[in-house]
């Protein structure tokens, strides 16, 4: 079975679409077959494309996010995906609350994949500036590289 990875933030329009895109790019580069998706714990932006700042940031790295649409994480995700990564501590706690008792997905914090950043959150760039989205991109890319290494073992 190929790995199926879900990235989860609050709105699914800033951080988790970038995490999904970074993982897709790293997996493709490594020749790793994997399913990838992203979701939000909140329903504020269901059906909406990513934030324009996230779209522009990904575009700088040759990645097109325009077709992505927001959705809310749901109980079925805990069996459909082998791995679920929360972008921050608050969303990890919220996911823990909605996880069905008999779930099979491995649930963890995204930055646990980055040596030296274990336990840390990817800061929410929503209230920030365009440069904050580049910091997000760097963080999710480092995590994506760590995840591809882990899944290839
Ligand atoms: P995200 O950022 O969780 O990285 O997608 C946010 C997007 C929207 C909101 C909060 C965070 N909001 O409050 O609408």
């Amino acid at each position: 079975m190929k790995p199926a990875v879900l990235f989860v933030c609050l709105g699914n329009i800033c951080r988790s679409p970038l995490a999904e895109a970074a993982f897709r790019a790293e997996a493709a580069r490594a020749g790793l077959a994997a399913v990838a998706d992203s979701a939000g714990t909140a329903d504020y932006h269901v059906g909406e494309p990513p934030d324009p700042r996230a779209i522009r940031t990904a575009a700088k790295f040759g990645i097109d996010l325009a077709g992505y649409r927001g959705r809310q994480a749901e109980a079925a995700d805990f069996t459909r995906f082998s791995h679920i990564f929360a972008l921050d501590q608050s969303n990890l706690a919220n996911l823990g609350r909605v996880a069905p008792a008999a779930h099979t997905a491995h649930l963890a914090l995204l930055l646990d994949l980055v040596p030296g950043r274990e336990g840390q959150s990817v800061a929410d760039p929503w209230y920030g500036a365009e440069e904050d989205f580049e910091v997000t991109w760097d963080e999710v890319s480092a995590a994506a590289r760590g995840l591809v290494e882990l899944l290839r073992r």
Side-chain angles (χ1 to χ4, degrees):
M1 265 258 305
K2 58 183 174 183
V5 186
L6 180 68
F7 301 91
V8 181
C9 62
L10 179 62
N12 192 209
I13 56 166
C14 298
R15 292 166 291 174
S16 61
L18 288 172
E20 176 188 343
F23 174 68
R24 284 181 183 279
E26 289 298 334
R29 200 167 292 143
L32 175 77
V35 171
D37 195 9
S38 60
T41 54
D43 64 358
Y44 311 145
H45 299 283
V46 171
E48 294 178 18
D51 185 286
R53 297 166 294 178
I55 293 177
R56 284 194 294 270
T57 300
K60 283 183 200 158
F61 298 94
I63 294 170
D64 184 8
L65 292 188
Y68 285 41
R69 291 294 177 269
R71 75 166 179 92
Q72 190 173 23
E74 58 191 17
D77 290 327
F78 289 86
T79 42
R80 285 175 50 220
F81 291 90
S82 56
H83 298 73
I84 301 180
F85 290 101
L87 274 281
D88 64 25
Q89 289 281 6
S90 137
N91 286 297
L92 180 64
N94 288 335
L95 281 170
R97 277 189 279 276
V98 299
H103 74 262
T104 47
H106 168 80
L107 177 62
L109 197 60
L110 187 74
L111 286 181
D112 284 348
L113 294 161
V114 182
R117 300 291 309 271
E118 297 89 346
Q120 296 180 20
S121 294
V122 174
D124 190 349
W126 168 251
Y127 294 106
E130 194 101 9
E131 305 83 72
D132 297 306
F133 283 76
E134 296 227 5
V135 173
T136 304
W137 178 258
D138 288 344
E139 293 178 336
V140 300
S141 295
R145 286 189 292 273
L147 180 54
V148 166
E149 277 308 303
L150 189 76
L151 295 175
R152 288 177 83 187
R153 271 185 222 139

